[in-house]
Amino acid sequence: MECAWEVLEHAGYNVQNYDGDIAVYAGTSANTYFKSYLSSQIDNNDPVTNYQISIGNDKGFLCTRVSYKLNLTGPSFTIQTACSTSLVSVSVACQALLDYQCDMALAGGVSVSLPNKSGYLYNEGMILSPDGHCRAFDVNSKGIVHGNGLGIVVLKRLQDALDDGDSIHAVICGSALNNDGSAKIGYTAPSVTAQSKVISEALAVAEISADTISYVEAHGTGTQLGDPIEIAALTQAYRADTQEKNYCAIGSVKTNIGHLDVAA
């Protein structure tokens, strides 16, 4: 709620006098604050208070509650696609803008786990790191560590932003969505074929050639299974445009801040 207000303020907009429709698309991880601190306060004899607690903490009310508090009148719904939630939210928001369903959109994700000081039990074969470090695209990658974080952006159609004199930090040229289906070794494992296809689709929508891209901010699974699959998918998709090698850097901020689940 605070960050939704802050990002609009940073963008230079007062929602009380903005005459356009502002949409909200976002997702959240499981609410451990409710589980750890609020569940003990539930009184079965006080349904009104219990209902208010539910509205303030359940995933389904995440976006519409922001819209209610800030008086945002565009489409507003929660998106849940696990680790891809934030990017899916951005892609959905872009499409809504292109379809003129809204004039501005907030998009992002949040993942904050409580208690803040906690560890985990390492189990061989699971995705968690044995030494508490995440090393994406590293020969020593052994798994992930969890982190807390939130990301939220204000999106507008480019011409509208230029006409309004907005401070533009980046331009999204295009995006694409798909799903692995069952063509992979397990539900939590990625698929080379599906990832390569969606990368190619995004490049086609953006109308840019792979050989013009100098850096890819990747998911960076941080595991010996996931990282090679991501590299293979990117290579397969880029080979359709170029045979050049060693021209595009790849990295993942996950190594520095951990895996942020739906806010990744």
Side-chain angles (χ1 to χ4, degrees):
M1 188 74 70
E2 291 178 358
C3 290
W5 173 268
E6 182 182 353
V7 74
L8 285 166
E9 188 176 63
H10 180 78
Y13 286 94
N14 180 350
V15 295
Q16 301 306 319
N17 59 27
Y18 180 69
D19 59 4
D21 292 324
I22 302 176
V24 184
Y25 305 96
T28 178
S29 295
N31 194 326
T32 53
Y33 173 74
F34 174 80
K35 181 179 179 181
S36 300
Y37 297 99
L38 292 183
S39 58
S40 61
Q41 299 181 26
I42 291 179
D43 182 357
N44 292 327
N45 296 317
D46 187 1
V48 175
T49 299
N50 294 346
Y51 183 59
Q52 291 300 320
I53 291 175
S54 174
I55 289 176
N57 291 274
D58 189 82
K59 289 182 179 181
F61 301 109
L62 175 72
C63 293
T64 51
R65 191 163 181 268
V66 170
S67 296
Y68 169 69
K69 290 290 187 178
L70 300 185
N71 192 30
L72 310 181
T73 55
S76 181
F77 54 86
T78 303
I79 293 173
Q80 297 294 156
T81 62
C83 312
S84 61
T85 295
S86 295
L87 277 178
V88 171
S89 297
V90 170
S91 184
V92 171
C94 288
Q95 194 60 51
L97 285 163
L98 293 174
D99 291 342
Y100 287 83
Q101 296 179 25
C102 56
D103 303 295
M104 194 184 306
L106 306 186
V110 56
S111 179
V112 178
S113 298
L114 296 174
N116 286 323
K117 293 183 178 181
S118 63
Y120 58 85
L121 181 64
Y122 170 72
N123 285 281
E124 189 172 355
M126 292 291 287
I127 63 172
L128 294 171
S129 169
D131 60 4
H133 291 280
C134 181
R135 302 177 178 88
F137 305 115
D138 191 299
V139 69
N140 294 315
S141 61
K142 302 293 184 181
I144 67 166
V145 293
H146 289 296
N148 294 328
L150 176 146
I152 185 169
V153 292
V154 174
L155 301 172
K156 291 179 68 175
R157 290 178 290 272
L158 178 58
Q159 191 57 55
D160 290 349
L162 291 169
D163 292 343
D164 294 340
D166 292 326
S167 177
I168 301 172
H169 296 283
V171 176
I172 299 175
C173 297
S175 66
L177 301 173
N178 74 354
N179 194 273
D180 295 334
S182 59
K184 52 186 181 179
I185 63 172
Y187 174 65
T188 58
S191 161
V192 172
T193 302
Q195 280 200 23
S196 177
K197 182 178 179 182
V198 79
I199 292 167
S200 297
E201 288 175 357
L203 290 171
V205 170
E207 297 182 334
I208 59 175
S209 175
D211 58 9
T212 66
I213 299 173
S214 59
Y215 175 74
V216 173
E217 173 64 22
H219 178 61
T221 305
T223 65
Q224 293 181 345
L225 172 66
D227 285 351
I229 288 177
E230 192 163 14
I231 293 292
L234 281 164
T235 301
Q236 183 173 305
Y238 280 33
R239 283 289 178 267
D241 286 338
T242 179
Q243 297 300 313
E244 290 293 322
K245 297 181 179 180
N246 301 321
Y247 71 93
C248 180
I250 187 170
S252 174
V253 72
K254 184 182 292 182
T255 296
N256 297 316
I257 64 176
H259 180 42
L260 301 191
D261 194 47
V262 303

